[in-house]
Each structure stands twice: as structure tokens, then as C-alpha cells.
Amino acid sequence: MVTTLDAVLTRCRSSPPNILATLQQVQAAFGFVPLEHVPRIAAHLGVTDADVRGVISFYHDLRTSPPGRHIIRYCLGDSCRAKHTERALTALTRRLRCDFGETTTDGRFTLTKVYCLGHCALSPTMMIGEETYAQLTPRSVITALQNHP
Amino acid sequence: MIAPAAKPQTVYVADDSTAIAAGANRVAAELSRLPNVRVVRTSSRGAFFLEPMVEVDTPQGRAAYLNVQPREVPGLFRKKPVPLARIPFLAKQTRYTFARFGENEPLDLAGYGFRAWQKAREMSPQQILAEIKRANLRGRGGAAFPAGIKWQTTADTPTEPKYIVANADEGDPGTYADRMILEGEPYRLLEGMMIAARAVGARQGYIYIRSEYPAAIQKMRAAIAQAREFGVLSESQFDVDVVVGAGAYICGEETALLESIEGKRGMVRYKPPFPAVEGLWGKPTVINNVITLATVPDIILRGADWHLSLGTETSKGTMPLQLAGQIRQPGLVEVPFGLTLEEVIYDFGGGLPRGCRFKAVQVGGPLGALFPARLLNTRICFDALAKAGGILGHGGIVVYDDQTDMVQLAHHFMEFTANESCGKCTPCRIGSTRASELLQAVLDGDAVPEDIALLRELGDTMKNGSLCGLGAMAPAPVLTALEYFPNDFGRRL
């Protein structure tokens, strides 16, 4: 069944209106927040287009273009830095041929950076989807990709 | 006659997401394939360098198989497990907030018991407030503000309704104590919030959890559902909802967090008015960090005198420190305030891994100072760290080895602030971008000595002119890097 914007918006009724929660629902349904939906979202919430766009641009999680099949959240936190995560990261970006914020040409992965996943005891770490990979090496970071076809 | 079935052997494996990243699920799956073995999933002890651990009961208490690989499972019980009392990392800790970690099942409501709540409901709100104030419970989230004063202010503000907000936006890289509580003993946080709600007269609470913690979000929601189903929350005339963040470090700042719950951009608010008077939707709001709220049940149960008997003169109680970075035994260490950095890094953390040499330690996340070896005798408490130009923050301790370039690191921290600044005040918004550019120039070999002077001046402006802690503390790692590791900068000018 194709989810429609109206179906999502009817679930998001709160008083006072909550822009972020609504956008999170929209992104959960579509994988991103299509910018052409902004006027209808704004009208539904009784706020301006600028209010909605302001929230979209503020939060790193909110996207305005479709992501790849799997989202990689690569940690650049302090502990991962201390464990020289740039070595595994270089191997990863070379293999994916893409940088932070970009999607691989085959649409398989979107690479995003995060500051800490809370697994600092086993740095360096990343998540692919909901799966966490710890103690990354230039080799294991590539092997991890194979679990996510 | 049929022989009675042998009593199944119970084994315990952590259901914590770091332990799972180490392979705990694969080990648990192998164990459950063995005949006559019952696998119980518990919280983690936080000795992550030993995960996956498989624990068993012995007459002398728990013992564990360490760093278990799935292929070792079939022959595992032929080996002798190590008694936990003989693992110094665990045995030397003083655990209260994390006392049950490694033993409790995270969602076992009856096992948790809510004993502190049972005691608190017999106390008057003013008695609870008096106890928290007398205990001198200072916020564990970073600002170290006395929780009792926040609570009293909210209680004294006549506006209704009132709210309790748990700050579970654990954004400081290098910290994970909140995550462990949310995943490992969610009822402890809930109980702390219920007690706070009774003390100030709140009916509704929110737990703001960062989106980087999907397992914590799921566990906390399940715990709330259980507490509702079994009437724990309705009995306390209080309800709680989880609000999920959207990837913004600044939302760990209390007023930005409130804006975010309201669905807006996470822009820092001017203070006063303080949230305790005008917080969520303009109503009086107690906002405390997860560890702070999770410390409340023990204060109620054991009394303020117990809390006052631990720690230093101005930092009372215990602090869960989180060891990370280039360290041999990374994990959670709950100890009374007052140990030195050296004791924690070497006695608990085991020092650096073989072949690595110490260069610096950063305490308190990306806004904390970088300390050289000669300052390792600094005591871990709010005031000693402040005196040394740093912060305790949320208790993260990250060790760096001598392969670390301090200019690169300083640039990383400034870039982090430039990325995460909410943009409301100029010193933070522009200052972090300019400082980041200056550090890039140093890295590129394009800087002159005057640029370093400019960097110091910029740091001073940010420190004194920023609206909130992000801008005010962001210069600390850069300025301490300049002070303690001048050669890293000097050789590039």
C-alpha cells in the first residue's frame, strides 16, 4: 500500500502543533522529507513554510532527498578519533566512492557522519541500519558492507 | 522409572548494545542451542573489554567466561569460569547506581521493586525536597547545578501544569552511562522521575533520547508500557513519554532540548527565565540528566547521609566514569568522586594498550580540557577539574596516544562546534567557524605566529561572550592543546 501524505498527517495532530515530530513521521513513511510536501505540511500544522524548512535544515537526521537502501552512520566522536578511526574511514570512502552526505551510485549506501554512537568502549564504530559494528579496521569495515546487500 | 530431568544450567549474557556489537547475540544464540541450558539476558556490567561475557552462578557468587567466541560455546563449560570478585576492574568499584548491572533483566518490573518510590510516597513533597537538597546532589549532565534547588524552584512556582524532563540526549562523544541505564535498568530512571514528580507536583514527564540510540529508545518505551500496564505510573499519578531527537548535539543543552520537544529548531533560550520557572511550553519544568535522576532512588532509600558520606567536600556521592579511547580496559567505572585521573586510567583502565604511549587525556567530552601526563594527579571532582581549566561534564574520559596530532584534534573539536552551534549567538556561530579556519591554516602550513594570538583572543571571546555552555566551553580543548602541546603547533608556523 502506498502511504499518502494525508494519511501521515492525520496521525500527527497535536496541540500545539509539533513540527519536528510531524517531519519525523513524514520521513519514516517516505524515507525523506520531499520538499514539494512542505506547503501542505505547513498548512496542516498552521505554521509557515519557513518554519517547516527551518526545522528541516536544523536537524542532521532530516533529509530532503531519497537515501540509499542502507544508511551508514559513521562515528567521528572523540573516542573513535583517539583510536585513529580515519584509517578505517579512508578504506570505506575509497570502497564506496562517496563522501559524507552522499549516496553510492548504485543506490545501496548513504554515508553519514555522527558524533558518537555510545559504543566508545569498542571504538572505532559505525552503524549500518540498526546493526552496530565495533573495533573497525580497514579490513572489517569492508567486510561489514557484505551483510547489507 | 524415568530419571528426573537434570536441572537446567542458567547462564547470563548481556543484552546491551555495545555487548551485542562485541558479539553477545551470536554467543547467546549458540548457548541456547545447547541442551539443558537456559539463557537469561541481563544488563551489562560495563566491562566492555571482557564482552561477550557468559556468567554462571557458583556457591561463591557469579563467575564468568570472558571474551567468548560463538565457536567456543560447545566446549565452554569444560573450562573454569573466573569469579567476578577476582576481576579487579569490577571488584574495586563502588557501585550504587550501577549495582545491579550484569544481574538484572532490564524489563523485569517485579524484580526491580520500586522500593525507593514506596518510601517516597510515604514522604511529603517537602520531605523529599529536603532530602535531595541535603544530599547535595549536583547535576551529572555537565553543569553540576544542585538538583534540589531546581526542584524546589519548580515546586515553589505556582503555575500549572508542571513537567519533569529527563535529558537522555547523551551527546558528548566518549560517554555512554545514560545509554547503559536506558537499556539496562530503565525502571531506575522512571523511578527517579516519579519521585521528582511527587516532589514538585508534576503529572507528566518526557524522556528526550537521541536518535543514535535505537536500542535505548525501544527498551525505555517497553519499560514505560510495562509500568503503565502494572499500574506503577497510574499509582503515582504520573505519566511519561519518550521523545526522540533528530541528531543535534546542541539539544543536550537544556533550553534547546525543550525547544526540540516543542518541535522547533533546537535554539538555545536566554536565561532567565530558568526552565524551573518557565520551561516546556512556558510551564515550570525540572530538567535533569539521566544519571542525576538515576541517583535519586538511592538517596531516598539510603538517605542523604549516605550520599554525603561519599566523595569530596563539594562533590558528593559516586560518579559513573566512562573510559574510552586508547586504553586497555575501556568500560564503565562507578567510584566516589575524588580519585585522581591517574588512578582511574591506570588502576581501572590498565593504562594504554601495548605499544601505545600516553599523550593526553580529555575529560568531559568535546568541550573538555586536554590534560598532559603531568596533570594526571588532578582529582576527578567538579571543583578540582574546574580549577585545572577543565570540566567533569558527563564523566567521559578519553585517552589519546602519541600518534595523535593535537592540531588535527583541535581542528576536529572546533569543526564539531561549528557544525553543532545553534547559531543564536555570534561568538559561538562565527567564532567557531573562524577558529576552525585558523586551525585549518595551521594544518596547511599557512599560519603565522600572530594567528595563534588571534586564536587565543577568539577563544577568550567565545568563553566570555557565548550564550550557553557550547560556545563558552568549546575553546577549552583548543586552548589547552596550545598550552600543553605547543610543539605540535610551533613546528607548523
Side-chain angles (χ1 to χ4, degrees):
Chain A
M1 198 187 83
V2 181
T3 315
T4 65
L5 180 64
D6 287 331
V8 177
L9 291 180
T10 43
R11 288 203 300 270
C12 302
R13 291 199 188 282
S14 68
S15 173
N18 193 307
I19 304 173
L20 175 58
T22 305
L23 293 171
Q24 285 172 318
Q25 293 271 352
V26 171
Q27 180 153 302
F30 299 102
F32 66 110
V33 181
L35 281 178
E36 67 265 26
H37 287 347
V38 167
R40 279 167 67 203
I41 296 168
H44 174 82
L45 295 172
V47 298
T48 66
D49 287 14
D51 289 330
V52 175
R53 281 176 180 262
V55 172
I56 294 171
S57 67
F58 188 87
Y59 291 98
H60 299 311
D61 282 1
L62 298 175
R63 287 179 297 271
T64 54
S65 57
R69 279 203 300 288
H70 309 287
I71 295 172
I72 302 176
R73 291 193 264 193
Y74 198 93
C75 184
L76 284 185
D78 308 6
S79 177
C80 292
R81 278 269 167 173
K83 296 288 276 184
H84 308 296
T85 191
E86 61 280 1
R87 295 169 192 167
L89 178 61
T90 305
L92 181 66
T93 51
R94 267 199 201 133
R95 170 60 66 99
L96 297 177
R97 290 165 198 262
C98 77
D99 211 341
F100 286 125
E102 296 174 358
T103 299
T104 54
T105 46
D106 60 2
R108 187 169 152 205
F109 295 107
T110 294
L111 182 62
T112 64
K113 79 172 156 192
V114 292
Y115 291 115
C116 200
L117 294 167
H119 305 297
C120 322
L122 299 180
S123 294
T125 65
M126 69 169 176
M127 287 177 89
I128 304 183
E130 304 254 308
E131 189 94 11
T132 304
Y133 294 91
Q135 295 177 311
L136 293 175
T137 64
R139 188 180 298 223
S140 73
V141 81
I142 304 300
T143 322
L145 297 176
Q146 291 161 10
N147 298 335
H148 305 271
Chain B
M1 200 176 104
I2 302 163
K7 200 164 164 256
Q9 159 132 24
T10 304
V11 298
Y12 307 89
V13 180
D15 188 23
D16 168 281
S17 58
T18 297
I20 289 169
N25 278 355
R26 292 195 299 276
V27 169
E30 284 299 317
L31 283 163
S32 59
R33 249 176 242 145
L34 298 179
N36 237 15
V37 167
R38 189 173 76 99
V39 183
V40 174
R41 300 302 295 268
T42 64
S43 51
S44 168
R45 292 188 190 271
F48 291 115
F49 60 102
L50 301 176
E51 294 282 7
M53 284 168 82
V54 175
E55 295 190 18
V56 291
D57 291 306
T58 74
Q60 289 77 40
R62 287 278 182 89
Y65 300 96
L66 310 174
N67 299 116
V68 178
Q69 295 300 309
R71 63 186 145 73
E72 295 175 86
V73 166
L76 193 64
F77 301 117
R78 287 199 292 273
K79 295 186 224 164
K80 220 169 129 47
V82 183
L84 293 186
R86 292 233 304 270
I87 299 174
F89 178 89
L90 292 170
K92 286 182 357 194
Q93 296 193 31
T94 308
R95 285 201 168 188
Y96 289 102
T97 307
F98 285 83
R100 297 174 74 240
F101 277 67
E103 288 172 20
N104 69 310
E105 294 174 58
L107 293 175
D108 175 10
L109 187 127
Y112 182 72
F114 287 92
R115 279 165 47 233
W117 164 250
Q118 282 163 26
K119 188 170 171 191
R121 78 177 166 194
E122 305 299 325
M123 296 163 74
S124 72
Q126 198 50 51
Q127 280 173 322
I128 299 174
L129 289 169
E131 202 68 8
I132 297 299
K133 278 193 289 186
R134 200 165 67 81
N136 194 13
L137 173 63
R138 294 175 70 179
R140 284 3 181 199
F145 191 81
I149 296 180
K150 282 189 181 181
W151 291 23
Q152 184 74 62
T153 307
T154 297
D156 291 345
T157 305
T159 320
E160 296 281 345
K162 295 170 183 179
Y163 298 104
I164 307 294
V165 173
N167 183 345
D169 191 51
E170 189 167 57
D172 278 357
T175 64
Y176 45 86
D178 292 354
R179 184 190 61 69
M180 286 182 66
I181 290 172
L182 298 166
E183 289 186 27
E185 200 165 47
Y187 296 125
R188 175 176 278 273
L189 171 61
L190 219 48
E191 190 177 38
M193 292 177 78
M194 285 158 59
I195 295 166
R198 175 163 174 77
V200 306
R203 295 288 183 85
Q204 177 66 45
Y206 294 94
I207 305 173
Y208 186 92
I209 309 179
R210 62 203 299 262
S211 63
E212 291 86 346
Y213 286 1
I217 293 164
Q218 191 214 326
K219 278 272 176 51
M220 201 64 233
R221 282 190 168 143
I224 292 168
Q226 291 261 347
R228 279 188 192 138
E229 190 183 331
F230 288 93
V232 176
L233 281 167
S234 58
E235 193 234 51
S236 66
Q237 297 179 312
F238 179 62
D239 199 29
V240 178
D241 285 302
V242 169
V243 176
V244 178
Y249 175 77
I250 191 59
C251 290
E253 195 281 335
E254 58 180 10
T255 61
L257 187 151
L258 296 176
E259 291 285 304
S260 188
I261 294 181
E262 293 179 12
K264 304 170 190 159
R265 291 162 65 90
M267 304 288 277
V268 171
R269 295 179 185 171
Y270 291 101
K271 291 191 273 194
F274 290 95
V277 179
E278 278 181 43
L280 195 56
W281 294 297
K283 306 296 181 191
T285 303
V286 165
I287 174 161
N288 285 137
N289 171 257
V290 171
I291 307 175
T292 314
L293 287 163
T295 308
V296 167
D298 273 305
I299 293 177
I300 294 301
L301 212 51
R302 299 167 193 273
D305 287 326
W306 158 79
H307 196 249
L308 291 169
S309 72
L310 295 159
T312 66
E313 199 174 330
T314 52
S315 306
K316 294 298 184 189
T318 62
M319 180 73 196
L321 302 168
Q322 301 124 77
L323 306 189
Q326 206 62 280
I327 195 157
R328 199 182 292 236
Q329 302 189 148
L332 182 117
V333 175
E334 183 180 351
V335 284
F337 287 97
L339 269 65
T340 65
L341 282 168
E342 182 159 19
E343 284 171 309
V344 170
I345 293 169
Y346 288 90
D347 296 356
F348 287 94
L352 281 75
R354 199 190 306 268
C356 297
R357 276 203 308 248
F358 180 92
K359 180 154 183 177
V361 59
Q362 189 178 30
V363 186
L367 313 178
L370 288 157
F371 293 116
R374 68 186 154 87
L375 287 179
L376 284 178
N377 58 357
T378 307
R379 294 205 175 275
I380 300 172
C381 64
F382 298 123
D383 302 287
L385 282 162
K387 208 182 277 174
I391 47 165
L392 175 59
H394 188 52
I397 294 181
V398 178
V399 178
Y400 294 90
D401 67 16
D402 65 354
Q403 302 285 302
T404 310
D405 179 333
M406 287 296 146
V407 183
Q408 268 180 16
L409 194 61
H411 178 256
H412 160 73
F413 289 126
M414 253 319 150
E415 206 181 43
F416 171 81
T417 304
N419 265 322
E420 299 300 324
S421 171
C422 80
K424 183 147 178 167
C425 72
T426 317
C428 178
R429 183 183 67 245
I430 309 284
S432 58
T433 301
R434 289 293 170 263
S436 177
E437 287 166 1
L438 282 170
L439 287 159
Q440 185 63 54
V442 179
L443 280 174
D444 295 343
D446 295 335
V448 291
E450 288 73 45
D451 289 333
I452 299 298
L454 192 58
L455 198 55
R456 285 185 203 275
E457 198 188 316
L458 195 52
D460 194 53
T461 305
M462 289 177 71
K463 212 152 103 179
N464 295 302
S466 295
L467 185 58
C468 82
L470 176 57
M473 298 194 293
V478 178
L479 295 177
T480 47
L482 272 168
E483 186 173 345
Y484 299 125
F485 308 96
N487 293 343
D488 286 27
F489 292 82
R491 67 187 164 86
R492 287 197 165 94
L493 298 175

